[in-house]
Amino acid sequence: MGAVTEATSTRSGKRWIERWDPEDEAFWEAEGRRVARRNLTFSVTSEHIGFSVWSMFSVLALFMGPEYGIDPAGKFTLVAVASLVGAALRVPYGFAVARFGGRNWTVFSAGLLLVPTTALLVIMEPGTSYTAFMAVAVLTGVGGANFASSMTNINSFYPLRLKGWALGMNAGGGNIGVAVVQLVALGIIAAAGAGHPRLLLALYLPLIVAATVCSARYMDNLGPVRKDSGAAREAARDRHTWIMAFLYIGTFGSFIGYSFAFGLVLQTQFDRTPLQAASLTFVGPLLGSLIRPVGGHLADRLGGARVTLATFVLMVGASGLVVAASLSASLALFIAGFIVLFVLTGLGNGSTYKMIPGIFRAQAETRGLTGEEAAVYARRLSGASMALIGAVGAFGGLGINLALRQSFLSSGDGTGAFVAFLGYYVLCCAVTWIVYLRRTAGRARGRTVAAGGARTGAADAAGERQPAYAEV
């Protein structure tokens, strides 16, 4: 049955599974599901803490009162730097899984989180130079990169029919690290006041150690996921990699950008105290994280393109509420609009990531590939493209914080930035419809789209089918 002997073969003394066929239902039910779920559990754990470390400056900004000598623009810059580094590192992190093994890289990347957390524990006090804070903001970026390697790894463990759920659970469990660190910060501010940020950092150090040890003990490397620079080049040349990256900026870029900036906006534009801001900031990231697996599950059932389009349409409406609230200085409407946006970004995160393996599986079928050949093709290209898409999408978080910084410098509020975000969602609606839904409907008129671009209806006559992107 294409069986896999779990972690019995060795390579460089590490745990390796040399044969893995999740598309074989008999194998999946007999042993594949158990192995995949175990790896998913500990992948989520490490990624969760990575997100907490990545978003640490957005939380520590609530502790940084006037005595730190950093204005709102300076705080937005610190958050933007962390976002930038996390986005850039997602590319090498995503490809590292094939080079070093998913388990091995998870152990390394989880342990690396000790560096920024320890550095923050040392410098987090009034009188520290802005340069020192900027240097540590760079270090916290490693937490954001964990997402790329984690998603690439888990993508290889699950069959196509379950990828939406699995990737949604993996990403949602990681994303929720943003909400959890904000909630823990709220508890510390409420119990000890805003003058004790080191309590937050000290709490995370043993958690990082535990995640590293558990990853080493319970996770596996997949031998079939080999270093494949050819897959990276193919993914980079495929237009769908960049189209999906554009859409992922709108979903994940919005999620992480808003998660980092929401508390600062509440303090700066609506004059909330650190405790008041902290009591609100965790709600949006929490809901957005919890609903991400729902987005993936809906995409499994209804098609990722359909769910993604509906999500962007609703995001246009929600961002319109935020613009209206900003213009009218209505805190209640502002919070309501943002909470809805967070929920929608979570749905969109799940549906867009489900689309990626489906797109490449559809392309494999147009090339005449079937069975294991098609699965291998889709796994190679989707894994490579996820590293690029995840990186570009995370740059959206940088864009949001830079746009808000400029808006506050120019007009004293975030209205201009919120209008720009609304316009981006309109573009995402148009791209999703034109590329993944309208052309599928056009098959009845003999139009066909091949993997690299448009072809004539002659391809259908020759027996080549158009990728059914509406179903991905």
Side-chain angles (χ1 to χ4, degrees):
M1 62 177 179
V4 175
T5 302
E6 179 189 344
T8 56
S9 61
T10 60
R11 187 179 306 176
S12 302
K14 303 299 183 182
R15 292 166 55 113
W16 287 89
I17 296 174
E18 288 298 344
R19 295 164 58 212
W20 185 255
D21 185 11
E23 301 297 343
D24 182 328
E25 292 192 21
F27 158 70
W28 178 252
E29 294 300 328
E31 52 184 307
R33 183 191 302 273
R34 173 177 55 84
V35 175
R37 285 191 171 179
R38 187 183 68 236
N39 279 270
L40 174 62
T41 298
F42 294 101
S43 174
V44 167
T45 302
S46 296
E47 187 191 347
H48 173 98
I49 297 175
F51 265 94
S52 294
V53 172
W54 190 27
S55 58
M56 195 67 75
F57 261 107
S58 70
V59 176
L60 293 176
L62 302 176
F63 293 87
M64 298 168 74
E67 66 274 15
Y68 282 82
I70 303 175
D71 63 11
K75 293 177 182 178
F76 275 119
T77 301
L78 288 174
V79 172
V81 166
S83 182
L84 170 64
V85 174
L89 287 178
R90 284 186 170 196
V91 175
Y93 267 57
F95 295 135
V97 170
R99 176 65 179 86
F100 301 103
R103 166 202 177 267
N104 295 348
W105 189 255
T106 302
V107 172
F108 170 79
S109 60
L112 192 60
L113 298 174
L114 289 170
V115 176
T117 308
T118 302
L120 278 170
L121 187 66
V122 172
I123 71 164
M124 196 64 207
E125 61 184 10
T128 299
S129 70
Y130 189 73
T131 301
F133 280 122
M134 186 68 76
V136 180
V138 171
L139 295 177
T140 61
V142 300
N146 283 9
F147 172 87
S149 53
S150 180
M151 293 293 276
T152 301
N153 185 39
I154 293 303
N155 177 60
S156 299
F157 274 96
Y158 278 82
L160 181 63
R161 67 185 184 279
L162 297 176
K163 284 185 187 290
W165 174 86
L167 293 174
M169 288 296 295
N170 189 61
N175 292 170
I176 206 172
V178 178
V180 169
V181 72
Q182 292 172 345
L183 188 58
V184 173
L186 169 62
I188 291 173
I189 292 174
H196 298 84
R198 285 190 169 108
L199 292 176
L200 177 65
L201 299 163
L203 179 63
Y204 268 85
L205 288 174
L207 297 178
I208 294 170
V209 172
T212 305
V213 172
C214 288
S215 297
R217 183 174 178 84
Y218 297 111
M219 291 187 71
D220 303 293
N221 302 302
L222 290 182
V225 182
R226 298 283 198 271
K227 181 181 179 182
D228 189 351
S229 58
R233 288 193 296 269
E234 286 182 57
R237 287 196 300 265
D238 195 294
R239 69 191 183 100
H240 289 287
T241 296
W242 305 108
I243 293 170
M244 290 306 302
F246 179 84
L247 299 181
Y248 201 57
I249 288 173
T251 58
F252 180 77
S254 296
F255 172 84
I256 199 63
Y258 294 152
S259 297
F260 283 14
F262 190 34
L264 283 172
V265 173
L266 289 174
Q267 284 188 284
T268 305
Q269 184 166 340
F270 291 94
D271 299 319
R272 300 294 92 184
T273 66
L275 181 58
Q276 289 170 330
S279 67
L280 295 169
T281 53
F282 75 92
V283 177
L286 176 64
L287 295 177
S289 302
L290 290 175
I291 206 165
R292 181 162 183 162
V294 176
H297 180 66
L298 286 174
D300 284 337
R301 292 174 59 88
L302 304 175
R306 296 188 184 97
V307 176
T308 298
L309 177 60
T311 298
F312 279 126
V313 169
L314 294 174
M315 287 176 72
V316 170
S319 55
L321 287 179
V322 171
V323 171
S326 183
L327 289 170
S328 63
S330 171
L331 177 61
L333 185 60
F334 184 82
I335 292 173
F338 249 108
I339 295 301
V340 172
L341 268 178
F342 271 115
V343 171
L344 292 171
T345 61
L347 282 173
N349 285 338
S351 63
T352 51
Y353 248 72
K354 158 61 181 177
M355 290 173 68
I356 298 166
I359 287 169
F360 289 107
R361 181 59 183 251
Q363 289 186 0
E365 291 173 356
T366 67
R367 293 168 179 254
L369 302 178
T370 59
E372 180 62 15
E373 278 189 302
V376 169
Y377 176 89
R379 186 164 56 235
R380 287 179 64 246
L381 272 295
S382 61
S385 67
M386 280 180 181
L388 298 172
I389 292 167
V392 176
F395 278 112
L398 170 67
I400 281 178
N401 282 278
L402 291 180
L404 285 168
R405 178 183 184 275
Q406 186 58 45
S407 185
F408 276 100
L409 286 174
S410 301
S411 61
D413 61 39
T415 304
F418 301 139
V419 171
F421 305 153
L422 187 156
Y424 194 90
Y425 302 145
V426 171
L427 287 175
C428 288
C429 288
V431 168
T432 305
W433 168 252
I434 291 169
V435 177
Y436 297 113
L437 292 168
R438 182 178 64 88
R439 285 181 171 171
T440 297
R443 277 189 299 173
R445 299 189 299 273
R447 300 176 61 188
T448 180
V449 180
R455 291 184 184 175
T456 67
D460 282 333
E464 182 178 356
R465 294 172 12 191
Q466 176 195 3
Y469 289 130
E471 308 300 327
V472 300

